[in-house]
């Protein structure tokens, strides 16, 4: 997959999302490099590996270029050896809301206690139905980028 990713991020209130989820996966991800809004990420999810490259956002964090390629688990484990210190460990829950799917991430380890949701949109002004567990919007707040959480974990805030 490649192209422009448009998404909005929110903090999550409560844990009702777990009952509403139709699927969930454990995700581990590391960053080969991150800086100046650009990242190269390796991830394992659901028995597969992924290599993702993201470009900088030009509109306050709402959208950015993304390239993602599925790789083997062995390739992912080898690439983890090249990653900067700090692995992101989380469970992602998928929750339907109207015509959209919210991806709710519950973090572990140094980011324990942080739960965020994001929704991907086809246009910046596309309307969507917020589920009741959606709290404060954090779109564009770099503290909540996974690449930032790797180096400055939630427990240190």
């Amino acid at each position: 997959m490649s192209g422009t990713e448009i998404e909005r991020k929110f903090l999550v209130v409560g844990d009702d999302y777990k009952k509403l989820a139709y699927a969930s996966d454990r995700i581990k991800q590391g960053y080969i490099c991150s800086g100046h809004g650009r990242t190269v990420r390796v991830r394992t999810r659901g028995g597969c590996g992924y290599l993702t490259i993201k470009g900088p956002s030009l509109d306050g964090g709402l959208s950015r270029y993304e390239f993602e390629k599925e790789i083997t688990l062995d390739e992912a484990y080898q690439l983890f050896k090249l990653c900067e210190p700090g692995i992101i460990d989380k469970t992602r829950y998928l929750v339907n809301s109207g015509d959209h799917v919210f991806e709710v991430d519950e973090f572990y380890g140094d980011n324990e206690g942080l739960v965020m949701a994001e929704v991907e949109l086809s246009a910046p002004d596309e309307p969507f139905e917020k589920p009741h567990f959606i709290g404060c919007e954090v779109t564009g707040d770099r503290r909540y980028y996974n690449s930032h959480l790797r180096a400055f974990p939630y427990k240190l805030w």
Side-chain angles (χ1 to χ4, degrees), residues 42-71:
V42 60
R43 170 186 277 180
T44 58
R45 178 183 182 184
C48 297
Y50 299 90
L51 181 64
T52 306
I53 302 168
K54 292 188 178 192
S57 176
L58 302 175
D59 58 4
L62 184 59
S63 65
R64 61 197 288 200
Y65 176 81
E66 178 181 284
F67 170 85
E68 185 168 79
K69 177 137 177 77
E70 187 172 331
I71 59 177

Side-chain angles (χ1 to χ4, degrees), residues 4-5 13 16 23 30 33 36 43 53 57-58 78 84 94 104 111 114-115 122 128 134 143 151 153:
T4 301
E5 172 188 60
V13 179
D16 285 351
C33 64
H36 307 290
R43 170 186 277 180
I53 302 168
S57 176
L58 302 175
Q78 292 301 316
E84 299 168 338
L94 303 179
V104 180
N111 292 298
L114 179 60
V115 182
S122 56
F128 59 93
I134 294 298
R143 293 177 302 163

Side-chain angles (χ1 to χ4, degrees), residues 4-50:
T4 301
E5 172 188 60
I6 302 169
E7 67 182 14
R8 291 179 60 185
K9 291 185 176 204
F10 303 87
L11 296 179
V12 170
V13 179
D15 65 356
D16 285 351
Y17 62 90
K18 290 181 182 181
K19 291 182 271 182
L20 299 171
Y22 66 85
S24 66
D25 278 312
R26 189 73 175 251
I27 295 174
K28 293 195 179 184
Q29 65 189 42
Y31 289 84
I32 295 172
C33 64
S34 59
H36 307 290
R38 295 170 178 84
T39 60
V40 178
R41 176 185 78 200
V42 60
R43 170 186 277 180
T44 58
R45 178 183 182 184
C48 297
Y50 299 90

Side-chain angles (χ1 to χ4, degrees), residues 107-120:
F107 291 82
Y108 306 112
D110 289 345
N111 292 298
E112 184 91 30
L114 179 60
V115 182
M116 288 191 304
E118 53 187 52
V119 60
E120 290 200 18

